[in-house]
Amino acid sequence: MATTETKVSGSSTVGLSWARVCKECGQQHDSQDSHLYEYQDEVDDELVCHICLQPLLKPMDTPCGHTYCFHCLSNFLKEQDFCPVDRQRLQLHQCRPSSLLVRNLLDKLTVMCPHCAECQQTMQRCELQPHLHNRCPVFRRLREEAEKRKRPSWNELKGRKGDGEGSGDAKHSATLSRSSTRDQPEPGLINPAYEEGEEDNNSLRSSLVAEATVVELIRDEPGEELGLRIVGGKDTPLGNIVIQEIVRDSIAARDGRLAPGDHILEVNDISLASVPHTRAIAVLQLPSLLRLTVMQEKGFKLRDQRSDQNQPTSTGSPGSHSPHSNATSSNNPGTVLQVTLVKSQRTEPLGIKLIRKSDESGVFILDLLAGGLAAKDGKLRNNDKVLAINGHDLRHGTPESAAQIIQASEMRVNFVVMRSAEAQEEGGSSRTSRRTPEPQYFRRRSTYMKDPPGGFSSQEKTVSLKKEPRLSLGITIAGGRDCRSRLPVYITSVQPVGCLHRDGTIKRGDVLLSINGVDLTQLTYNEAVSVLKAQTAQSQVVLRVIQTVSEESEDDTEANNDELDIAEDSRDDTLNWTPLWTRWLGLPSHMHWCRDIVLQKTNNESWGFSIVGGYEESHGQQPFFIKTIVPGTPAHFDGRLKCGDEIVAVNGATTVGMNNSSLIPMLKLQKNKVTLTVVSWPGSLV
């Protein structure tokens, strides 16, 4: 047995600040260093790292049978290529997370709150973070002091609600804690969400806040999906690698720290700042633990005036700790409300049933139990969307994580919820705005046609086969105009037993155009299956397909094959294969399906998105793509616009052939309402 005790300065609160304190262990240490804990009991030698001689954190097992902290081992292997104990050859990707039993034993180690001068509680190590965020008086005081410095109180925001919503549109002057990849503006990047109008003489400005943070995700099994849909890359107009969507119940969703719109800067110290899309996907498929450095937009923050008096109301989400606490706006899809429930005793249930919805991420209130605390309070309602509980962001959370936060809370439980316009009307509110029904998809009009982005193209292929009437083509398909993104029907596999495999022309990912003259481009999945079965029964089959090509990404992938053991081939074994996002960019415009998204706002409010694209001397004409969606803005609350969406028209006027100087005024002139016609492709799944 080893006596393990970490002595740190955390026992004294002198000199502590919210910015410097670790949000997981409560101590002050560098972000690259391991977390620090004050253990109260002896720790078995089998649970101690052989490098740092402390109890294991994120334990990793080597093939030779030794166990180390992930940080310790990864830092060691940057300089060496062998196991620290037996000096056998070793690389990080060969290691695997320790068993669940070992991790549970480590989680149950007893630790003391680091702020023992004012808080002497002891708990299991896994309970320290909830304790800090929900019960520790020192941690709560540090957070409240930081929030007071960053923004006015909730009551101040409510008091100004009738005085006009926000200042003029803000410039993209982001406050960054990491600026290495964003110091210089990217060519073609325009920001109608942040641009200031010349006619706006208001001196009260807002600034966009962005923060770099590190998120660690661990795969229990090699090849397990993280649950991220990715867009962008240096071979695309977006440039950066951006998270488009978080898949429900995935590793990333359960972790809860990543969100759509986050820019991934590094993975395990490999920079993604200037890599093609396929290279980024290969890096994100590395096994075991991934350390992601991401840039997260936190919304708009009040800019200090020369005088500290008469602070303005922000147009977006004020402050980095509450991106959801936007002042209520009469034109958002819902109103943001704050509700505090006070329990008579810590174990008293609130009487709230929480659910998730199939068509929208987040946590919703299903029912308030009769006689329960929430029902008696009367402020929460069925179908309210829970944005946060006790400061924990739940916009992409789960009912399970919400329940854990409630169970760990003390006497007061603070809810931030969004209530839809319809619910407000049913409750007797004077609000009259109502979100329009989900629009129908339609084929891209002839006036919206354009060439693919630079480096992307397509080519048609025709295969004519004579075959036995009952012989299968040997392909599987997916897509169809009834699927979520209205994708065309595409080939997911070419089986080695079929006649198309022997021919060799048709490849996985090819989009089906027609079979024996029967058009397949407008069919649903079931309709396409029926047509293929009927036409395959004939003795001769003529199949037309279209293949998209990404020239630069293919060249770069070949150049980088020696650097990575994981390549795109690792996707071959998956049963539910889906194309990379870049495959869709080369598809001809006449095969695109669009939809209209209507956004509404007040005159001085930001639309809440930035755009990249338009005419550039170095790249020629590029389509316009959504690059960033800012929390707490109309585009964010509406929820339909996604990073990577292509804008093909604004209020019916095509953007094809436009440059920046043409599109900026068009967007700025739309004071209260704008209709964006967009094409949306699903991001690459990792």
Side-chain angles (χ1 to χ4, degrees), residues 387-434:
L387 302 180
I389 299 177
N390 288 349
H392 293 272
D393 191 345
L394 290 170
R395 289 172 298 164
H396 304 282
T398 64
E400 292 79 12
S401 59
Q404 290 176 357
I405 296 170
I406 293 173
Q407 291 170 2
S409 64
E410 295 288 346
M411 306 300 288
R412 299 170 66 88
V413 185
N414 299 306
F415 287 82
V416 179
V417 300
M418 177 182 287
R419 185 164 300 155
S420 66
E422 291 83 348
Q424 288 279 34
E425 292 170 355
E426 292 171 2
S429 171
S430 61
R431 285 174 58 109
T432 59
S433 63
R434 183 183 295 269

Side-chain angles (χ1 to χ4, degrees), residues 284-318:
L284 286 164
Q285 288 171 344
L286 290 170
S288 68
L289 194 146
L290 294 179
R291 181 182 176 90
L292 279 64
T293 303
V294 298
M295 187 68 69
Q296 297 183 318
E297 304 285 3
K298 296 295 186 179
F300 289 105
K301 170 189 173 184
L302 298 179
R303 181 178 299 174
D304 294 334
Q305 291 180 272
R306 293 178 182 176
S307 170
D308 292 334
Q309 300 176 352
N310 301 323
Q311 289 180 317
T313 303
S314 68
T315 62
S317 158

Side-chain angles (χ1 to χ4, degrees), residues 419-457:
R419 185 164 300 155
S420 66
E422 291 83 348
Q424 288 279 34
E425 292 170 355
E426 292 171 2
S429 171
S430 61
R431 285 174 58 109
T432 59
S433 63
R434 183 183 295 269
R435 180 168 169 172
T436 57
E438 185 72 14
Q440 297 294 319
Y441 284 78
F442 54 89
R443 300 198 75 165
R444 189 161 179 161
R445 301 188 180 104
S446 59
T447 53
Y448 298 165
M449 297 300 178
K450 55 86 186 175
D451 293 329
F456 295 90
S457 60

Side-chain angles (χ1 to χ4, degrees), residues 99-295:
S99 67
L100 182 61
L101 175 62
V102 172
R103 283 179 279 163
N104 286 342
L105 290 173
L106 290 164
D107 285 342
K108 291 180 180 179
L109 294 177
T110 303
V111 300
M112 176 177 282
C113 177
H115 311 299
C116 54
E118 299 182 40
C119 180
Q120 291 82 31
Q121 290 197 32
T122 61
M123 66 221 72
Q124 294 181 355
R125 193 173 78 176
C126 63
E127 296 175 347
L128 178 61
Q129 186 176 8
H131 163 79
L132 292 171
H133 287 272
N134 298 296
R135 296 188 292 276
C136 178
V138 176
F139 211 72
R140 184 185 303 118
R141 184 175 69 248
L142 292 174
R143 180 171 56 199
E144 290 173 352
E145 290 173 353
E147 290 177 351
K148 286 179 182 178
R149 289 193 295 268
K150 288 189 174 183
R151 68 174 191 271
S153 67
W154 177 266
N155 290 331
E156 289 173 335
L157 286 174
K158 290 200 299 184
R160 296 191 185 116
K161 189 169 60 176
D163 299 332
E165 292 288 342
S167 63
D169 289 349
K171 290 182 180 179
H172 191 195
S173 55
T175 303
L176 303 178
S177 61
R178 182 185 184 99
S179 59
S180 60
T181 61
R182 295 170 66 119
D183 286 338
Q184 298 181 357
E186 299 177 37
L189 178 61
I190 57 174
N191 295 300
Y194 325 131
E195 286 290 333
E196 237 169 41
E198 295 178 0
E199 70 279 2
D200 186 4
N201 296 318
N202 190 349
S203 61
L204 306 181
R205 310 297 191 196
S206 296
S207 61
L208 183 66
V209 176
E211 292 181 357
T213 187
V214 176
V215 175
E216 292 178 349
L217 301 177
I218 189 166
R219 286 186 169 102
D220 290 331
E221 298 293 337
E224 183 180 5
E225 290 178 351
L226 298 177
L228 303 176
R229 287 198 176 273
I230 304 298
V231 298
K234 81 164 188 178
D235 52 332
T236 74
L238 268 68
N240 293 354
I241 300 297
V242 186
I243 298 176
Q244 181 194 64
E245 186 178 353
I246 308 291
V247 179
R248 177 175 295 167
D249 295 329
S250 63
I251 295 174
R254 291 191 295 270
D255 179 83
R257 288 175 290 176
L258 296 175
D262 290 353
H263 290 221
I264 303 179
L265 307 180
E266 292 181 353
V267 177
N268 291 358
D269 297 323
I270 301 174
S271 174
L272 301 187
S274 183
V275 301
H277 187 83
T278 52
R279 162 74 169 166
I281 297 301
V283 172
L284 286 164
Q285 288 171 344
L286 290 170
S288 68
L289 194 146
L290 294 179
R291 181 182 176 90
L292 279 64
T293 303
V294 298
M295 187 68 69

Side-chain angles (χ1 to χ4, degrees), residues 37 98 100 105 113 122 139 182 249 319 335 337 410 430 457 465 512 518 554 558 579 614 630 632 650 655 661 682:
Y37 297 95
S98 297
L100 182 61
L105 290 173
C113 177
T122 61
F139 211 72
R182 295 170 66 119
D249 295 329
T335 301
L337 305 171
E410 295 288 346
S430 61
S457 60
L465 296 173
L512 295 173
V518 180
E554 287 182 352
E558 292 176 3
V630 184
V650 176
T655 62
S661 60

